[in-house]
Amino acid sequence: QVQLVESGGGLVQPGGSLRLSCAASGFALDSYAIGWFRQAPGKEREGVSSMKSNGGGTYYADSVKGRFTISRDNAKNTVYLQMNSLKPEDTAVYYCARTPDSLYLVPMVARLYDYWGQGTQVTVSS
């Protein structure tokens, strides 16, 4: 069955870094775009970054541009989100999700993503 499993979250001080991983199984990752979303308590889900199946069409929300980098290793069935210069406002549960390239839109549209991971908590605090 299709599965997306996030890992790499944790507690980090402001200015620190984390790398999130999204491990895919049950489908051919190289046929799908992957997006990273986040949701903080009391806030709406936000599209953070996404990338098409071939690594093109990269998108970043303005709030993370210049600090976050999305990448993928289709051979390892894994997508990454490198997060640098973290701020307290980056605190949220981070989810990865997939969408076919044919439905890939930016800015990101959550309803077009059909499978989601369970999320990983990122807390930025001193």
Side-chain angles (χ1 to χ4, degrees), residues 3-122:
Q3 279 194 314
L4 294 165
V5 179
E6 302 93 339
S7 61
L11 173 64
V12 63
Q13 292 187 341
S17 298
L18 284 174
R19 188 177 80 155
L20 304 184
S21 298
C22 173
S25 61
F27 69 100
L29 180 65
D30 59 5
S31 296
Y32 286 85
I34 295 293
W36 285 96
F37 295 81
R38 67 186 181 186
Q39 188 162 23
K43 294 190 176 181
E44 292 188 357
R45 182 170 45 190
E46 174 188 18
V48 174
S49 182
S50 59
M51 174 183 278
K52 296 179 73 172
S53 63
N54 62 359
T58 303
Y59 166 82
Y60 296 97
D62 287 344
S63 57
V64 306
K65 206 170 289 183
R67 300 187 297 121
F68 289 12
T69 303
I70 190 172
S71 62
R72 63 193 295 157
D73 186 338
N74 288 336
K76 294 184 177 180
N77 291 327
T78 304
V79 178
Y80 305 97
L81 186 68
Q82 178 67 42
M83 306 187 297
N84 298 329
S85 302
L86 283 161
K87 304 175 181 180
E89 50 264 43
D90 294 318
T91 296
V93 178
Y94 284 72
Y95 302 89
C96 64
R98 75 166 199 181
T99 187
D101 281 348
S102 59
L103 297 180
Y104 184 76
L105 291 175
V106 295
M108 299 160 68
V109 180
R111 62 179 172 81
L112 297 179
Y113 289 74
D114 59 355
Y115 280 90
W116 294 70
Q118 81 290 348
T120 185
Q121 176 71 47
V122 171

